């Protein structure tokens, strides 16, 4: 059968990960989290790497090997053979990731790695530029959106449920700052592809968004 690529792009905290995993399970295809790749690079290089000279960055990036391990909704990114873990999930690492993600040399290396992983494989892929740059020919593109307030509220509840402290205003500030940087960068800014279906998730729960997207894919 034909290769299926579903792209899910959108701002921070909009629910891409939960949805992408469920869709991958339902469709029986792999799940690729490209945010995890930017986070893994940021984590490995550490704070301030975004100020390194380009040739130094280029050299370390060309030595990094990305792969996908595991099956379906459980598939995970591995860097140099090590599956990435919870250490990349902090808001600090997210901010570092957004800083390195502005650099053309980083975007170019990861775009190549993302396309290599996707070659010949059906997948649900989440990120910021999947429909606009990396998988331009994908037949099913979605852009998830919700107000910053709705996203901050969801993130706060998520954190509190997992027993972590969470302050609404602090989370809202972080979400807005990261979105601003991702939307306004020169290369591959966050925006919907011209042929993406825009799904406003503000008034829908996960199940509602899931059903809506699945119906689109099955009708496509
Ligand atoms: O999706 P996640 O929050 O894990 O992504 C972390 C950061 O990585 C984003 O804020 C963004 O700057 C960057 N990113 C990107 N392009 C992607 C995926 C993530 O620039 N395709």
């Amino acid at each position: 059968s034909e290769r299926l690529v579903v792209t899910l792009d959108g701002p921070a905290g909009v629910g891409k990960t939960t949805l992408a995993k469920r869709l991958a399970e339902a469709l029986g295809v792999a799940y690729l989290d490209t945010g995890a790749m930017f986070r893994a690079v940021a984590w490995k290089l550490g704070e301030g790497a975004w100020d390194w000279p380009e040739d130094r960055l280029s050299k370390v990036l060309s030595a990094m090997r990305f792969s996908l391990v595991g099956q379906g909704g459980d598939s995970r990114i591995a860097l140099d053979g090590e599956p990435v873990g919870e250490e990349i999930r902090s808001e600090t690492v997210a901010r570092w990731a957004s800083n390195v993600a502005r650099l053309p040399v980083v975007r170019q290396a990861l775009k190549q790695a993302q396309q290599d992983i996707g070659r010949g494989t059906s997948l649900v892929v989440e990120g910021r530029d999947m429909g606009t740059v990396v998988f331009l020919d994908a037949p099913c593109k979605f852009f998830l959106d919700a107000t910053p307030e709705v996203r901050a509220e969801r993130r706060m509840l998520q954190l509190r449920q997992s027993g972590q402290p969470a302050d609404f205003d602090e989370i809202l500030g972080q979400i807005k700052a990261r979105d601003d940087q991702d939307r306004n960068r020169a290369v591959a800014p966050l925006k919907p592809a011209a042929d993406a279906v825009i799904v406003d998730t503000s008034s829908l729960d996960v199940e509602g968004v899931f059903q809506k997207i699945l119906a689109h894919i099955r009708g496509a």
Side-chain angles (χ1 to χ4, degrees):
S1 68
E2 226 176 279
R3 168 172 170 261
L4 173 69
V5 176
V6 177
T7 65
L8 287 186
D9 289 308
V14 77
K16 296 187 297 291
T17 301
T18 307
L19 266 161
K21 285 184 176 179
R22 281 196 61 182
L23 285 170
E25 280 299 328
L27 298 166
V29 303
Y31 157 64
L32 174 58
D33 175 3
T34 62
M37 298 170 78
F38 286 92
R39 286 170 184 260
V41 167
W43 168 257
K44 185 129 190 178
L45 302 186
E47 186 165 21
W50 45 91
D51 291 325
W52 291 3
E54 196 172 279
D55 57 350
R56 180 173 174 203
L57 276 169
S58 169
K59 202 166 160 188
V60 293
L61 285 161
S62 64
M64 290 183 181
R65 291 287 167 267
F66 288 94
S67 55
L68 202 56
V69 295
Q71 294 293 313
D74 286 330
S75 38
R76 273 209 282 171
I77 278 293
L79 175 52
D80 298 329
E82 272 304 304
V84 301
E86 286 304 306
E87 69 278 3
I88 65 164
R89 293 295 156 199
S90 70
E91 194 49 42
T92 300
V93 175
R95 187 163 44 78
W96 294 1
S98 181
N99 289 344
V100 295
R102 283 179 295 155
L103 307 174
V105 64
V106 173
R107 299 214 70 84
Q108 184 54 38
L110 291 194
K111 175 181 161 183
Q112 193 65 56
Q114 289 152 8
Q115 290 176 340
D116 286 347
I117 289 172
R119 192 154 294 124
T121 310
S122 288
L123 68 160
V124 177
V125 57
E126 67 154 294
R128 301 291 186 289
D129 61 337
M130 295 301 104
T132 52
V133 175
V134 179
F135 295 100
L136 206 50
D137 297 332
C140 296
K141 300 181 182 179
F142 298 91
F143 189 90
L144 303 186
D145 215 349
T147 64
E149 287 74 17
V150 166
R151 291 183 280 126
E153 175 86 25
R154 285 185 192 150
R155 173 88 18 121
M156 183 184 74
L157 293 175
Q158 234 175 30
L159 284 168
R160 289 194 177 155
Q161 266 168 14
S162 68
Q164 291 165 267
D167 176 72
F168 179 81
D169 290 327
E170 189 185 341
I171 295 171
L172 182 62
Q174 290 166 341
I175 280 184
K176 283 183 168 171
R178 192 142 64 90
D179 286 355
D180 277 353
Q181 176 155 280
D182 291 345
R183 285 199 168 97
N184 294 312
R185 67 186 171 218
V187 189
L190 169 66
K191 65 171 182 204
D195 53 348
V197 175
I198 298 178
V199 182
D200 184 346
T201 73
S202 298
S203 59
L204 289 171
D205 58 7
V206 176
E207 185 61 27
V209 180
F210 173 72
Q211 292 303 340
K212 190 167 172 162
I213 290 183
L214 204 56
H216 267 286
I217 295 171
R218 298 210 156 127

